[in-house]
Amino acid sequence: MSAEIIDGKKIANEIKERLKEEIDILKKKGKPPSLSAIQVGENPGSKVYVKAQRKSCESMGIEYNLHQFSENITQKELSDFIQKLNQDPRVTGIILQMPLPGHINAREMQRLIDPTKDAEGVSPTNMGMVVYGKPLLGPCTAMAIMELVKSTKIDLYGKEAVMVGHSDIVGKPTALLLLDKFVTTSVCHIATGERGSLPDYVKKAEILIVAVGKANLIKGEWIKEGAVVIDVGINRIEGKIVGDVEFDVAKERASYITPVPGGVGPVTTAMLLRNTVEAAKLQIGS
Ligand code: NAD
């Protein structure tokens, strides 16, 4: 069997097309979506994200404002600025770029973001809504994974899924969203790897999602015949970007598989745009 490659760019474009109509309506209603990003200090990775965010927002007619601060900013100054954005009716979405310097409590800052302006879906309120299966503005990558799984049109009820990686923004919320669809879900992490049990879990996965950040961690031969494989990992190897799954072997066993790049990434960006639009709608009660 050779897997169908899930085209993340195509899925993202379809979502963006639908959003364009909603953006036009919001503009007519006097609530144009406008995303404000906060960046503290100099981080090369974060700079790349900011540039990409600006490009995707502007291509959709969404205003994008970047607020840069020195890494010496105090926690009080940063929290005051977040409150200011919360209160500004022209700002419909807020995104706090990670990482933050060590003296700033990132969780505390995320908690301050108004949940109806939380474009990344990282505030405790929005994370909490994931438990109920009804995220108002959900964590973008977890929502993107669910869109990619949905695109395969497989019946999820009773399926066996394995989520490798248990980060707060990807692994944990994705596992909860799968549970909400009655998928029997196992979550693996570093301790599973250290125990040597990872192959045993992966081999029984009908839906396999991997978000670790280690190239070729998942061997192609472990993939169950006909599995749906969503590879979230981003690794740079000899100037090339690859995922966590040994793609060439895995694609001969899977039924559907996401490429890296071109799989989860573009849909995650589309989810950020969708959250920004949904946030603006929430703020005018539509
Ligand atoms: P993280 O970096 O916070 O945590 C890594 C996870 O992998 C942890 O749960 C850890 O326990 C687990 N792990 C580490 N080694 C392991 C092993 N040997 N066996 C099993 N589990 C192991 O996770 P994150 O922030 O979710 O990021 C994971 C990857 O996904 C990174 O490569 C990141 O760049 C990528 N990512 C991509 C997108 C996207 O839009 N495409 C978005 C977010 C993250």
Side-chain angles (χ1 to χ4, degrees), residues 226-246:
V228 172
V229 179
I230 311 288
D231 190 351
V232 186
I234 301 174
N235 308 287
R236 280 174 188 82
I237 287 187
E238 293 163 6
K240 244 184 92 183
I241 293 179
V242 299
D244 293 340
V245 178
E246 201 184 17

Side-chain angles (χ1 to χ4, degrees), residues 141 165-167 170 189-190 193 198 211-214 217 232-234 265 268:
T141 308
H166 78 318
S167 66
V170 185
H189 40 65
I190 182 81
L198 198 53
V212 172
K214 288 184 182 164
L217 173 74
V232 186
I234 301 174
T268 297

